Amino acid sequence: MKRLIFATNNRHKLEEVRAALAGRAEVVSLAEAGLEGEIPETADTLEGNAQQKAEWVWARGGDTYDGCFADDTGLEVEALGGAPGVYSARYAGEHCSFDDNIDKLLAALDGEDNRRARFRTAICLIERERGMRFFEGAVEGQILRERYGAGGFGYDPVFMPDRFAVSFAEMPLEVKNRISHRGLAVEKLAAAL
Ligand code: IMP
């Protein structure tokens, strides 16, 4: 079976992706591949960041593994011209908390009736045999006016996906993973391996 490095040390992402790729590829984390250090993430698009991270990993693990992949996610809010987008993690500043980001988002949308938003994930896969490919997953929804639910992470308490009446933070994790931006992108990755 192929052995691919996933450019993450996030245990939750690792479990989610391992389950999705089971039987198709063995997924190795950065720590398991012995890769340390800060991966640069300085592009101004999700695809650019995913590519930058995948290339960083490939340059260090390419001689031992069959390939590697990296993901990058952003929340794109229509009324904010697609912001915070690629800057979602540090919307309220470097080293800010999820709560800081949500506070800033709710303030930016105060009095705004257009609450349309989507989460979008880009995955960049580099394989020895087939070169570089990109996969995308997106989930459309809206930004709520206050927080609901205690599950998930990031902007989950204020994001309600279309066709559901609850926020991401109120859903069982299996349901969120099935319909989420990352879940859909990983499904495409799995189908392509
Ligand atoms: P990353 O590229 O997966 O690290 O995601 C960047 C940022 O987007 C995170 O710091 C979160 O603020 C936000 N984000 C990514 N995925 C999710 C999600 O599933 N729910 C809520 N927020 C998310």
Side-chain angles (χ1 to χ4, degrees):
M1 193 163 16
K2 276 182 197 167
R3 296 171 77 217
L4 304 177
I5 307 173
F6 179 19
T8 192
N9 281 319
N10 178 319
R11 198 165 44 82
H12 301 287
K13 276 193 191 177
L14 199 61
E15 277 171 21
E16 181 186 338
V17 168
R18 273 203 176 122
L21 302 190
R24 296 176 196 260
E26 183 188 331
V27 179
V28 177
S29 72
L30 288 174
E32 288 162 346
L35 299 178
E36 284 170 11
E38 194 75 7
I39 306 184
E41 226 178 295
T42 55
D44 58 7
T45 60
L46 299 175
E47 284 76 10
N49 271 343
Q51 178 175 343
Q52 196 179 21
K53 290 189 272 188
E55 284 177 334
W56 187 95
V57 170
W58 188 238
R60 287 158 183 81
D63 45 352
T64 316
Y65 294 89
D66 301 304
C68 66
F69 60 95
D71 71 326
D72 201 40
T73 294
L75 175 66
E76 301 174 339
V77 179
E78 193 173 272
L80 302 178
V86 71
Y87 305 108
S88 294
R90 51 203 146 106
Y91 183 41
E94 291 298 329
H95 312 299
C96 63
S97 67
F98 290 144
D99 263 335
D100 296 336
N101 283 335
I102 291 180
D103 286 340
K104 179 165 177 180
L105 179 64
L106 292 181
L109 290 177
D110 192 27
E112 174 61 63
D113 288 330
N114 177 6
R115 316 292 298 188
R116 300 297 315 161
R118 65 178 178 182
F119 275 113
R120 197 164 72 81
T121 295
I123 291 179
C124 176
L125 168 71
I126 302 176
E127 286 182 289
R128 187 187 315 287
E129 305 293 331
R130 302 178 70 178
M132 184 182 296
R133 284 181 288 167
F134 288 88
F135 306 93
E136 185 195 74
V139 58
E140 303 280 338
Q142 52 183 304
I143 304 299
L144 299 165
R145 291 177 193 274
E146 53 185 282
R147 293 165 168 83
Y148 293 89
F153 71 100
Y155 298 89
D156 280 350
V158 293
F159 183 83
M160 183 171 73
D162 288 349
R163 295 181 297 282
F164 286 82
V166 292
S167 77
F168 261 174
E170 294 177 293
M171 287 181 176
L173 193 59
E174 324 73 270
V175 178
K176 180 191 161 189
N177 287 346
R178 192 148 29 86
I179 64 161
S180 82
H181 44 301
R182 198 168 25 256
L184 297 174
V186 171
E187 215 172 88
K188 290 182 191 168
L189 168 69
L193 287 174

